[in-house]
Amino acid sequence: MDQQGGDSRRITLHAPEDFAGMRRAGQLAAATLDMIAPHVRPGVTTGELDRLCHDYILAHGATPAPLGYRGYPKSICTSINHVVCHGIPGERVLAEGDVLNIDVTVILEGWHGDTSRMYVAGQPSTKARLLLDVTYESLMLGVAAVKPGATLGDIGHAIQRFVERHRFSVVRDFCGHGIGRRFHEPPNVLHFGRPGEGPVLKPGMFFTIEPMVNAGRPEVKILDDGWTAVTRDRSLSAQFEHMVGVTETGCEVFTYSPAGLHRPPYAA
């Protein structure tokens, strides 16, 4: 592996053969999100969703990266309604109309596969439906901006412009990240920015794009558990995440749903 950059933000440039490992890890993470879709319904606990994902990941020869990571106690993150990210599964029972993000990262053969999607328990409100749609479309606009010679600022700008056009806000406190044999590494992938700013994209870069979009203001706070991030104004929040690799001509998305379950509603 080569390294690029002369400062502390050294970005790994992976070899062409490394794409195969990331592809397998990404597809397992995406398949885990496919598996859990029919289980997200009113009356289920987030702890049960965690158990199902944990068992599925182990059964497919991988391990859940979040479990024990910096003390995190569970295998997935479940972020409900005004929880922005890093919600901890537990005894919380899903109610009709709850929206939640499920974030899965697996380690398969040394490679990390990281992805998340939004789900709905029952039927979402009209505002929640719009928020989910805008967040998903912003992610895909960010993905479409990935190509050699573009910059990370191009990705952030594409996301921010679309989100703010719909009168929602982009969370500033969290970002995407480089990934590969390590869970988190440079670069930071901001979901806001200006065209042409930031590191230039080169073939072999692997990173996540994972915009968090709030129905209200962008400010968040961390709860006393040290993990759970919530909107300060208690407005709804949504997030979708893909993991991509920059190719010679554009990018490869490693985490497309094998079953075509890209965004809710997910067919039973």
Side-chain angles (χ1 to χ4, degrees), residues 84 169-173 214 216-221 230-235:
V84 176
S169 63
V170 176
V171 171
R172 263 68 167 175
D173 298 66
N214 294 346
R217 293 186 55 80
E219 292 83 12
V220 307
K221 65 179 179 180
V230 300
T231 55
R232 283 192 172 272
D233 61 6
R234 294 189 67 83
S235 63

Side-chain angles (χ1 to χ4, degrees), residues 48-247:
E48 176 67 5
L49 300 177
D50 177 77
R51 184 189 66 78
L52 289 166
C53 289
H54 176 90
D55 292 348
Y56 184 88
I57 292 165
L58 294 185
H60 288 79
T63 57
L67 185 61
Y69 180 77
R70 298 181 179 174
Y72 188 78
K74 297 292 183 175
S75 295
I76 64 172
C77 297
T78 50
S79 302
I80 303 173
N81 295 336
H82 71 290
V83 178
V84 176
C85 60
H86 303 156
I88 301 173
E91 298 306 309
R92 169 71 149 80
V93 177
L94 295 184
E96 174 68 30
D98 279 345
V99 296
L100 73 156
N101 177 272
I102 298 180
D103 193 340
V104 168
T105 307
V106 306
I107 307 172
L108 180 65
E109 300 167 356
W111 296 100
H112 288 76
D114 186 4
T115 184
S116 79
R117 289 181 217 153
M118 294 300 296
Y119 298 80
V120 181
Q123 295 297 317
S125 67
T126 300
K127 188 168 190 176
R129 172 80 268 166
L130 178 60
L131 177 65
L132 268 58
D133 287 344
V134 168
T135 305
Y136 177 80
E137 293 299 340
S138 76
L139 166 64
M140 299 315 296
L141 286 169
V143 169
V146 179
K147 60 183 178 181
T151 69
L152 289 178
D154 296 339
I155 298 172
H157 177 72
I159 293 168
Q160 180 184 8
R161 181 176 58 180
F162 183 77
V163 167
E164 293 180 352
R165 187 185 303 156
H166 287 84
R167 300 183 182 276
F168 295 138
S169 63
V170 176
V171 171
R172 263 68 167 175
D173 298 66
F174 299 96
C175 60
H177 53 89
I179 192 168
R181 291 196 174 274
R182 291 183 292 176
F183 196 168
H184 298 96
E185 59 182 65
N188 289 339
V189 181
L190 305 181
H191 304 114
F192 59 96
R194 297 177 180 176
E197 292 190 347
V200 175
L201 305 185
K202 297 183 179 181
M205 288 184 180
F206 297 162
F207 53 85
T208 68
I209 306 174
E210 46 185 297
M212 285 151 265
V213 177
N214 294 346
R217 293 186 55 80
E219 292 83 12
V220 307
K221 65 179 179 180
I222 308 297
L223 300 186
D224 290 342
D225 61 24
W227 285 100
T228 306
V230 300
T231 55
R232 283 192 172 272
D233 61 6
R234 294 189 67 83
S235 63
L236 286 177
S237 187
Q239 178 188 23
F240 286 88
E241 175 184 11
H242 273 316
M243 186 176 73
V244 304
V246 183
T247 67

